CSV table of all heavy atoms in Angstrom, one decimal:
chain,number,residue,atom,x,y,z
P,27,THR,N,-4.4,-59.0,29.1
P,27,THR,CA,-5.0,-59.5,30.4
P,27,THR,C,-6.1,-58.5,30.8
P,27,THR,O,-6.2,-57.4,30.2
P,27,THR,CB,-4.0,-59.7,31.5
P,27,THR,OG1,-3.4,-58.4,31.7
P,27,THR,CG2,-2.8,-60.6,31.0
P,36,PRO,N,-7.6,-44.3,24.0
P,36,PRO,CA,-7.5,-45.3,23.0
P,36,PRO,C,-6.1,-46.0,23.1
P,36,PRO,O,-5.1,-45.5,23.5
P,36,PRO,CB,-7.6,-44.6,21.7
P,36,PRO,CG,-7.0,-43.3,21.9
P,36,PRO,CD,-7.4,-42.9,23.4
P,55,ILE,N,13.2,-63.3,34.1
P,55,ILE,CA,12.9,-63.3,32.7
P,55,ILE,C,12.9,-61.8,32.2
P,55,ILE,O,13.5,-61.6,31.1
P,55,ILE,CB,11.6,-63.9,32.5
P,55,ILE,CG1,11.7,-65.4,32.7
P,55,ILE,CG2,11.1,-63.7,31.0
P,55,ILE,CD1,10.3,-66.2,32.8
P,79,SER,N,16.9,-37.0,20.4
P,79,SER,CA,17.3,-35.9,21.4
P,79,SER,C,17.1,-34.5,20.8
P,79,SER,O,16.8,-33.6,21.5
P,79,SER,CB,18.7,-36.1,21.8
P,79,SER,OG,19.6,-35.9,20.7
P,87,ILE,N,19.1,-41.3,31.6
P,87,ILE,CA,18.6,-42.1,32.8
P,87,ILE,C,17.7,-41.2,33.6
P,87,ILE,O,18.2,-40.1,34.0
P,87,ILE,CB,19.8,-42.7,33.6
P,87,ILE,CG1,20.6,-43.6,32.7
P,87,ILE,CG2,19.3,-43.3,34.8
P,87,ILE,CD1,21.9,-44.1,33.3
P,98,GLY,N,8.0,-48.8,40.9
P,98,GLY,CA,8.8,-47.6,41.0
P,98,GLY,C,10.3,-47.8,40.6
P,98,GLY,O,11.0,-46.9,40.3
P,115,ILE,N,4.2,-55.2,34.7
P,115,ILE,CA,3.9,-54.1,33.8
P,115,ILE,C,5.0,-53.1,33.9
P,115,ILE,O,5.3,-52.6,35.0
P,115,ILE,CB,2.5,-53.5,34.0
P,115,ILE,CG1,1.5,-54.5,33.7
P,115,ILE,CG2,2.3,-52.3,33.1
P,115,ILE,CD1,0.0,-54.1,34.0
P,117,GLY,N,7.2,-49.7,31.7
P,117,GLY,CA,6.9,-48.7,30.7
P,117,GLY,C,7.6,-47.4,30.9
P,117,GLY,O,8.5,-47.3,31.7
P,148,ASN,N,0.4,-39.5,21.8
P,148,ASN,CA,0.0,-38.3,22.4
P,148,ASN,C,-0.2,-37.2,21.4
P,148,ASN,O,-0.9,-36.2,21.7
P,148,ASN,CB,1.0,-37.8,23.5
P,148,ASN,CG,1.0,-38.7,24.7
P,148,ASN,OD1,0.1,-39.5,25.0
P,148,ASN,ND2,2.2,-38.7,25.4
P,162,PHE,N,11.4,-51.6,13.1
P,162,PHE,CA,12.6,-51.8,13.9
P,162,PHE,C,12.1,-52.4,15.3
P,162,PHE,O,12.8,-53.4,15.8
P,162,PHE,CB,13.4,-50.6,14.2
P,162,PHE,CG,13.9,-50.0,12.9
P,162,PHE,CD1,13.3,-48.9,12.3
P,162,PHE,CD2,15.1,-50.5,12.3
P,162,PHE,CE1,13.8,-48.3,11.2
P,162,PHE,CE2,15.6,-49.9,11.1
P,162,PHE,CZ,14.9,-48.9,10.5
Side-chain angles (χ1 to χ4, degrees):
T27 63
I55 292 167
S79 66
I87 295 173
I115 297 178
N148 293 338
F162 298 101

